[in-house]
Amino acid sequence: MKIEQVELRRLHVPLKAPFETSFGRFTFRDCILVGVSSEGETGYAESVAMPTPYYNEEMTDTVIYLLKHFLIPQLVGQHIDKPEQTAELFASVRRNYMAISALEGAVWDLLCKAQGISLSAALGGTRSEIDVGVSIGIESSVDHVLRNVTRFLEEGYKKIKVKIKPGFDIELIDAIRTRFGADVPLMADANSAYTLEHIPLLKQLDQYGLMMIEQPLAHDDIVDHATLQRELSTPICLDESIHSVEDARKAIELGSCRIINLKIGRVGGLTHTKNIHDLCARHGIPVWCGGMFEMGVGRAHNIAIASMPNFTIPGDTSTSKRHFEEDIVEPAVDFSKPGTLAVPTKPGIGYDLNRKAVEKYTVSKEIFKP
């Protein structure tokens, strides 16, 4: 297929409530929606970059710049028959994985629609439904978090992830275990808030039977995490440290983690996500799909990738209503049964655009042709 047009939209979508992590507080979703068109069909994806460069070096403005001045000019007019060709096309671009992922994901959706197959099937997905968990941000008090845990357990979520940071950690985890017991699937996400000096504190978490501690140390580290993992019985999960197959291979060989969180945007697209999934499967390292406040298009991509066989831990792809009053897809992403999302079987991502909502939240739009 010849890529005839690329459309970029920037959307500002308010969150139902502020969400805070150790690297920032967010009140709206700053989203880039990408549409890639050919022969009357359009594939969609979205960038997961944030408006600030605190999760990683990318942010919404830099993604737009890369797309406009480097990536889209390389893609428009090209004949693409396999989505993997897109990853090959951008192989010379250093990093900027969220920008690459947004464009590559739209090509995957486009080609799947043209071939009449679901994105899940194209990726090798084996599940008709996936279990999902929920991520709870840092709140003003432990009691506030406990109220959120109560609500999300009642809604049926299969895993509870709570954000922690020094001073908001042991007391929080202890309170959750005391209130809800040892059977609740519970994990802690540190977003790089700790150092090796915190080993005595982090070892205290071993007593709580956590599924994992996610990214406790520096965002670019795999060496110190290996030191920490040897001190802990709780599995370490790496997130921000893993950007490529090579990162994953080195982390596995060093013993830096026992679990890996895969985010499509962080590793440069669906092709690379699939390759890391396959590597981890060969080494017996389970993976799960993290969330980045995606709107419905991004959530649809997450659902498809999480249907692959080594995604054995519930991910963070919550329902649309978790963060938004209105989503940009229809139907909105919702449970097929408590804590479970159905994997679409329609061609491509399996959701239609809610065009009224897209127009409502669009703050800028550009169209690119050969």
Side-chain angles (χ1 to χ4, degrees):
M1 302 181 73
K2 182 179 180 180
I3 305 302
E4 299 168 355
Q5 176 178 298
V6 176
E7 180 182 90
L8 290 187
R9 288 178 181 261
R10 188 171 190 166
L11 313 179
H12 282 178
V13 186
L15 299 177
K16 292 170 69 173
F19 191 89
E20 185 175 345
T21 75
S22 64
F23 51 76
R25 188 172 186 267
F26 303 92
T27 59
F28 69 96
R29 175 78 177 103
D30 188 17
C31 173
I32 303 167
L33 180 65
V34 179
V36 176
S37 300
S38 179
E39 300 176 11
E41 192 64 81
T42 301
Y44 294 100
E46 63 181 79
S47 165
V48 296
M50 296 180 178
T52 54
Y54 300 145
Y55 173 78
N56 68 1
E57 69 276 10
E58 291 185 85
M59 55 184 181
T60 317
D61 288 329
T62 65
V63 167
I64 291 174
Y65 186 88
L66 260 291
L67 286 168
K68 288 174 58 174
H69 297 286
F70 292 92
L71 303 180
I72 292 174
Q74 291 186 54
L75 181 65
V76 290
Q78 293 284 343
H79 289 270
I80 304 291
D81 300 313
K82 297 187 298 182
E84 294 84 358
Q85 290 176 251
T86 314
E88 296 168 3
L89 186 66
F90 301 140
S92 61
V93 177
R94 301 295 186 188
R95 306 285 289 199
N96 293 287
Y97 294 136
M98 291 180 176
I100 292 170
S101 174
L103 202 51
E104 191 237 24
V107 172
W108 271 90
D109 185 35
L110 170 66
L111 292 181
C112 286
K113 287 174 177 174
Q115 296 166 14
I117 61 173
S118 71
L119 181 57
S120 169
L123 290 165
T126 58
R127 297 185 179 90
S128 59
E129 57 184 21
I130 60 169
D131 288 339
V132 294
V134 67
S135 178
I136 300 174
I138 293 171
E139 301 287 2
S140 57
S141 69
V142 170
D143 284 342
H144 195 162
V145 175
L146 293 176
R147 290 195 295 271
N148 285 336
V149 173
T150 299
R151 174 162 61 94
F152 292 128
L153 288 176
E154 289 173 350
E155 291 179 12
Y157 283 98
K158 302 296 178 66
K159 182 191 73 181
I160 299 294
K161 178 170 87 171
V162 292
K163 302 285 187 176
I164 62 172
K165 64 180 180 180
F168 195 76
D169 40 38
I170 305 300
E171 180 187 359
L172 172 66
I173 299 300
D174 185 77
I176 293 172
R177 280 295 187 227
T178 299
R179 173 77 62 87
F180 301 101
D183 294 334
V184 170
L186 178 65
M187 62 168 288
D189 182 7
N191 288 120
S192 306
Y194 299 82
T195 70
L196 288 180
E197 294 181 359
H198 292 102
I199 284 179
L201 184 150
L202 293 170
K203 288 180 73 170
Q204 293 182 55
L205 293 174
D206 279 342
Q207 65 184 300
Y208 296 106
L210 299 179
M211 300 173 71
M212 68 192 86
I213 303 172
E214 184 178 2
Q215 198 71 36
L217 306 181
H219 70 95
D220 56 354
D221 171 75
I222 58 174
V223 176
D224 285 352
H225 276 101
T227 299
L228 178 61
Q229 182 65 92
R230 289 192 293 270
E231 296 288 332
L232 301 179
S233 60
T234 304
I236 288 175
C237 170
L238 289 183
D239 175 1
E240 292 95 324
S241 293
I242 306 299
H243 296 93
S244 66
V245 171
E246 281 300 290
D247 286 343
R249 178 187 65 80
K250 292 169 185 175
I252 292 168
E253 290 184 5
L254 287 171
S256 307
C257 63
R258 297 176 190 161
I259 300 170
I260 288 178
N261 168 351
L262 281 176
K263 293 175 179 172
I264 300 167
R266 193 192 71 235
V267 302
L270 289 165
T271 300
H272 296 306
T273 305
K274 184 177 186 301
N275 291 339
I276 297 173
H277 164 278
D278 295 347
L279 171 77
C280 289
R282 292 194 297 271
H283 289 273
I285 301 292
V287 299
W288 58 280
C289 183
M292 293 285 289
F293 300 108
E294 292 92 346
M295 299 297 298
V297 171
R299 288 170 193 262
H301 283 262
N302 287 351
I303 293 169
I305 200 76
S307 70
M308 296 180 67
N310 197 40
F311 280 86
T312 57
I313 298 170
D316 285 346
T317 306
S318 53
T319 63
S320 297
K321 64 184 179 182
R322 163 73 174 98
H323 291 298
F324 307 104
E325 294 287 355
E326 184 178 30
D327 207 341
I328 61 170
V329 296
E330 48 189 8
V333 178
D334 203 357
F335 290 146
S336 55
K337 58 187 180 185
T340 300
L341 298 174
V343 178
T345 56
K346 291 170 56 179
I349 62 174
Y351 288 86
D352 298 320
L353 276 194
N354 179 343
R355 298 187 182 277
K356 183 177 179 181
V358 170
E359 292 294 339
K360 176 180 177 180
Y361 297 116
T362 295
V363 296
S364 64
K365 180 178 77 169
E366 292 185 78
I367 292 176
F368 303 85
K369 296 183 179 182

